[in-house]
Amino acid sequence: MKLRSARILAISIFFGSATLQASSLPKDSCFINEPVPDTVWQRMQGKSYKPNPHIGREDLRYLRVLHWDYDGKTHQGEMVCNKKIASKLVNIFRKLYEAKYPIQRMVLPDEYNADDEKQMRANNTSCFCYRPVAGSTKLSKHSLGLAVDINPLYNPYYKKRGSKVLIQPSNAAKYCNRNGKFPYKIDNQDLCYRLFIENGFSWGGAWKTMKDYQHFEFKGN
């Protein structure tokens, strides 16, 4: 059989706490867009997925992609998203990987029992999670798998109303000052920002009444 000419990886891939040797693994096999497998669907039940009239398994896709962390290690990440943006996300994450753009962690929210505060504190990048917008009963775009949060600990949600301030995650107050320098920071000069904007997403860091620096939301229907 004729071998494909894909560049061969000579790296170790880190998935969760496990290390997988991938010295003969074609890179293309590490950027996958597929229907949600049975094992993944079972993990999601009662956590990131709850029975609802708005979105079902057939509307979702399961992605596996490579990503670098800030220490220069390569990880195999996973994500569930709406099928409308699955190909876009695979292309975005492939370009981020090729540029060695740092993403610390990318596992399903189910690893944190779909607790948004816990996964943000862990700096976990994710997409689909059936839940309301913080502080309201309105469904988040994450509930439709049409929004992605990137490196959320260092790119927090911030809202001030009178004397009340809401920061998520709650331990990220020091990262609300966007004039500072720190790892994983997203701004409008950032490669991650540019790629998402080019692919039809809006950025929460540009919102007027609140800021959500981690958040990229697909503008299409």
Side-chain angles (χ1 to χ4, degrees):
M1 178 183 295
K2 185 177 180 180
L3 294 176
R4 294 193 305 172
S5 59
R7 183 167 62 90
I8 303 302
L9 295 179
I11 57 176
S12 293
I13 296 179
F14 296 79
F15 180 69
S17 60
T19 302
L20 304 175
Q21 295 299 320
S23 58
S24 61
L25 188 63
K27 187 175 70 172
D28 285 350
S29 70
C30 297
F31 290 86
I32 302 297
N33 163 10
E34 63 182 359
V36 179
D38 290 343
T39 53
V40 174
W41 186 242
Q42 291 167 8
R43 288 162 57 195
M44 296 167 62
Q45 298 308 300
K47 297 178 182 178
S48 64
Y49 186 83
K50 301 173 180 65
N52 71 89
H54 305 292
I55 191 164
R57 182 177 182 178
E58 67 279 4
D59 302 308
L60 300 171
R61 300 286 287 183
Y62 178 65
L63 311 183
R64 294 198 306 274
V65 301
L66 296 180
H67 63 96
W68 297 92
D69 66 16
Y70 201 76
D71 295 323
K73 296 176 182 177
T74 296
H75 302 256
Q76 177 80 70
E78 59 176 349
M79 178 176 287
V80 171
C81 69
N82 194 298
K83 64 183 180 182
K84 295 177 182 178
I85 62 171
S87 295
K88 291 178 181 290
L89 291 184
V90 169
N91 289 334
I92 288 171
F93 288 121
R94 184 193 297 273
K95 289 179 180 179
L96 290 175
Y97 178 76
E98 290 172 348
K100 295 190 174 182
Y101 184 92
I103 296 174
Q104 185 172 10
R105 185 170 289 106
M106 191 189 301
V107 299
L108 299 187
D110 312 286
E111 298 296 319
Y112 304 93
N113 288 315
D115 185 312
D116 205 36
E117 176 73 13
K118 287 182 179 179
Q119 71 161 339
M120 286 191 290
R121 282 174 174 259
N123 205 30
N124 186 52
T125 291
S126 67
C127 180
F128 176 76
C129 189
Y130 195 81
R131 60 176 175 79
V133 174
S136 79
T137 57
K138 179 182 177 182
L139 284 179
S140 165
K141 280 284 189 176
H142 290 285
S143 293
L144 300 177
L146 294 173
V148 181
D149 289 343
I150 305 287
N151 292 325
L153 173 61
Y154 297 90
N155 299 284
Y157 172 92
Y158 173 88
K159 184 176 183 179
K160 185 175 183 180
R161 179 175 292 177
S163 61
K164 294 183 179 180
V165 176
L166 175 62
I167 298 172
Q168 292 184 311
S170 57
N171 63 335
K174 61 184 176 181
Y175 303 118
C176 292
N177 179 359
R178 307 308 284 181
N179 294 320
K181 291 185 178 181
F182 44 84
Y184 304 108
K185 177 183 172 184
I186 298 172
D187 58 28
N188 59 12
Q189 303 300 313
D190 186 69
L191 175 62
C192 183
Y193 166 86
R194 298 199 306 270
L195 289 174
F196 273 97
I197 297 303
E198 288 169 4
N199 280 275
F201 290 76
S202 61
W203 180 46
W207 293 349
K208 301 298 183 183
T209 59
M210 66 192 77
K211 298 296 182 182
D212 200 355
Y213 297 105
Q214 65 197 256
H215 184 89
F216 292 94
E217 183 175 304
F218 188 58
K219 296 185 293 184
N221 296 321

